[in-house]
Structures are given as C-alpha cells and as structure tokens.
C-alpha cells in the first residue's frame, strides 16, 4: 500500500547501496528498499529501515502522512532524500519512548542516517 506522494523515480536500490556517499546535507531524491525494523507506536510518524547491515530512520516529509503501526518486519520502498544527522540524548529518549522502548536505556546522542520520505510503499 502506498502512503504519501506517488513515486516519481523509476529506479530503486537496496538501502545499503544508497548510503555510500551520504553527507550532512540532503542528497538528491532516491528510492531505496529495505525491511521495516521499528515503527513509531503512537502515530506511525517514523520508522527504521534496515538492509544489508545498515539502517536509516525514515521521517515523513512535513509530517504529512504516517505508516501503519504494525508494519514491523515488512518490506518497504521509500522515496525521498537522505542525510546524516546527530540526534541529542533527549531526542533519542523521545524516539525510544515512541517506539515502545525504555527511554532510560538511552544515555548518549546518536548519529543516524535520516531519510525524509515523500512517499512510502509497504509490501505484504
């Protein structure tokens, strides 16, 4: 099922192949594939996509749409831009809480790849 805007790119690549040149500024739009490892359990406003030993946190552009809260473990295609971003300890605690995890286990900031999605397609 598609969420957000329809795809505009014809080619897609596994997430691990798409993160090679990522910097601290937005990339060109890309379409990546992977498996949903985690999802926000409150509104579906973010998810973590994994593939090939790497992961990226997917944020929905402009909070304009969400994904199903039960899409963990499903394959997904995400179209958007990606960059490296450091989340503060407070931000990581908030994300852990929204993901149904213990925020007290978060003790430090964390650098992650962030994919700002214009559209997401959950498969299966």
């Amino acid at each position: 099922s598609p969420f957000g805007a329809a795809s505009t790119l014809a080619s897609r690549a596994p997430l691990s192949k798409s993160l090679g040149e990522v910097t601290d500024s937005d990339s060109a739009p890309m379409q990546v594939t992977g498996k949903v490892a985690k999802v926000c359990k409150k509104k579906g406003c973010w998810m973590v996509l994994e593939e090939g030993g790497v992961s990226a946190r997917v944020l929905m552009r402009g909070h304009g749409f969400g994904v199903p809260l039960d899409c963990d473990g499903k394959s997904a295609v995400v179209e958007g831009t990606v960059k490296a971003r450091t989340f503060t300890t407070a931000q990581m605690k908030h994300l852990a809480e929204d993901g149904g995890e213990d925020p007290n286990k978060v003790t430090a900031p964390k650098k992650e790849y962030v994919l700002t999605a214009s559209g997401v397609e959950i498969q299966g």
Side-chain angles (χ1 to χ4, degrees), residues 8 10 12 17-19 25 49 62 64 68-69 96 101 103 111 116-117 124:
T8 58
R12 56 183 62 159
K17 289 191 171 27
S18 304
L19 295 181
S25 54
L49 195 67
L69 307 187
E101 298 168 13
K111 188 166 189 172
T116 302

Side-chain angles (χ1 to χ4, degrees), residues 98-117:
D98 283 355
E101 298 168 13
D102 182 358
N104 294 318
K105 291 184 178 174
V106 176
T107 58
K110 185 177 177 193
K111 188 166 189 172
E112 293 188 357
Y113 292 114
V114 174
L115 230 165
T116 302

Side-chain angles (χ1 to χ4, degrees), residues 18-120:
S18 304
L19 295 181
E21 306 293 318
V22 172
T23 65
D24 291 344
S25 54
D26 283 335
S27 71
M30 61 176 69
Q31 194 177 97
V32 299
T33 59
K35 182 174 275 192
V36 179
K38 293 181 196 166
V39 64
C40 172
K41 297 300 183 187
K42 293 191 173 175
K43 292 183 272 188
C45 58
W46 58 261
M47 64 186 197
V48 174
L49 195 67
E50 287 184 344
E51 187 279 321
V54 299
S55 65
R57 187 171 301 271
V58 179
L59 303 177
M60 311 315 158
R61 179 167 290 138
H63 297 286
F65 62 98
V67 295
L69 307 187
D70 62 352
C71 65
D72 322 54
K74 294 187 176 178
S75 295
V77 178
V78 179
E79 187 167 295
T81 58
V82 67
K83 68 179 177 181
R85 174 177 163 188
T86 300
F87 289 93
T88 67
T89 304
Q91 288 168 326
M92 289 306 298
K93 284 180 180 286
H94 176 78
L95 291 167
E97 191 173 11
D98 283 355
E101 298 168 13
D102 182 358
N104 294 318
K105 291 184 178 174
V106 176
T107 58
K110 185 177 177 193
K111 188 166 189 172
E112 293 188 357
Y113 292 114
V114 174
L115 230 165
T116 302
S118 56
V120 175

